[in-house]
Amino acid sequence: MSENSMSSHRPAGTPEPRSGVVARRVRQRCAMLGTNLEDVARRAGMSPHYLEQLLDTSRDFDPAGVFRVAAALRTTPRELLEGPADAPAGQGDAAPRPVLRKLGPEECRDLVGTHGVGRVAMTTPEGPVVLPVNYTVLGGAIVYRTDPDAVTAAAEGSEVAIEVDHVDDALSSGWSVLTVGTAEHVSDPDTVRRLCEQAAEPWAGGKRDLWIRVDPERVTGRGIEHT
């Protein structure tokens, strides 16, 4: 039985069913252990045909089946169904028929609005730096709060870039959006009050009185998906 027989035939653009994600994790675990599906089936006390049915069906694994397969792969049922909690992203195989496409400006802005953590890149006297910040999108602008003496306190009027991304390691897909704009220090009391009411608290804690607003001047993005 070839591993290609494990892949379901899906119409282009439709998401991979949950069973397909589990099958991918099973194959990745097999490659990690240097084994194959026939050996896994034997150690799990089931026929290769039954294991193929478990991985190909659109229904969820039955509890006994997933427990036996997980034990044969020296992992846990939870890791098979949900993925390893601390697995490093980007270590798996590429998805079949990957497609890299440019994202349109509106799509980029929509994606940035669904997240709240990104990386801000700027030039400092010591050279370029890239640091994580938690941000909020308000009125189309990206705003974040920082300490006036922190590295992330970009100089007024300087050009900064903010990168936001998302990776789905199980599906070998993801996207990345880069927003470039000019840093503005927000000082108007009414605006600051509204930001305090609407924006997220900085994760780093402490007293962070400086609001930085970046109005997008260039927005570009890329996405990796598969058909």
Side-chain angles (χ1 to χ4, degrees):
M1 177 178 62
S2 68
E3 289 195 357
N4 288 336
S5 68
M6 306 297 296
S7 301
S8 58
H9 299 284
R10 295 175 289 110
T14 59
E16 186 172 7
R18 184 183 183 192
S19 57
V21 177
V22 174
R24 183 184 300 278
R25 291 187 183 123
V26 168
R27 290 195 296 271
Q28 290 174 344
R29 186 68 179 169
C30 283
M32 184 183 302
L33 297 176
T35 187
N36 54 50
L37 294 173
E38 286 79 2
D39 286 341
V40 170
R42 177 179 54 79
R43 290 197 297 271
M46 60 182 64
S47 70
H49 178 69
Y50 182 64
L51 176 58
E52 182 179 2
Q53 285 185 320
L54 286 176
L55 298 180
D56 280 350
T57 182
S58 61
R59 300 184 300 273
D60 288 340
F61 265 155
D62 70 90
V66 69
F67 185 86
R68 289 155 60 190
V69 171
L73 289 170
R74 286 180 274 171
T75 185
T76 66
R78 180 174 181 177
E79 288 194 349
L80 280 186
L81 295 173
E82 302 178 12
D86 299 315
Q91 300 300 308
D93 295 332
R97 301 181 297 280
V99 175
L100 175 65
R101 68 181 183 91
K102 292 183 179 180
L103 305 177
E106 289 302 319
E107 188 175 7
C108 288
R109 293 186 180 96
D110 288 344
L111 290 170
V112 170
T114 66
H115 281 53
V117 176
R119 282 161 290 279
V120 59
M122 64 190 76
T123 301
T124 72
E126 289 74 30
V129 296
V130 180
L131 294 168
V133 295
N134 61 302
Y135 67 87
T136 301
V137 178
L138 294 174
I142 296 177
V143 296
Y144 65 91
R145 193 174 183 177
T146 188
D147 186 315
D149 296 324
V151 178
T152 49
E156 176 88 21
S158 64
E159 187 176 62
V160 300
I162 298 177
E163 192 269 345
V164 182
D165 59 44
H166 173 72
V167 174
D168 188 327
D169 202 46
L171 299 181
S172 301
S173 62
W175 54 263
S176 175
V177 172
L178 183 68
T179 300
V180 179
T182 301
E184 175 189 353
H185 292 192
V186 181
S187 57
D188 177 70
D190 290 338
T191 303
V192 169
R193 185 178 64 255
R194 288 196 300 271
L195 289 173
C196 291
E197 293 171 351
Q198 300 177 55
E201 288 290 329
W203 284 5
K207 188 176 181 181
R208 298 177 182 274
D209 297 329
L210 177 61
W211 287 95
I212 304 287
R213 177 167 56 204
V214 180
D215 285 307
E217 297 171 3
R218 299 194 309 275
V219 181
T220 57
R222 299 290 188 274
I224 299 175
E225 53 194 35
H226 55 94
T227 59

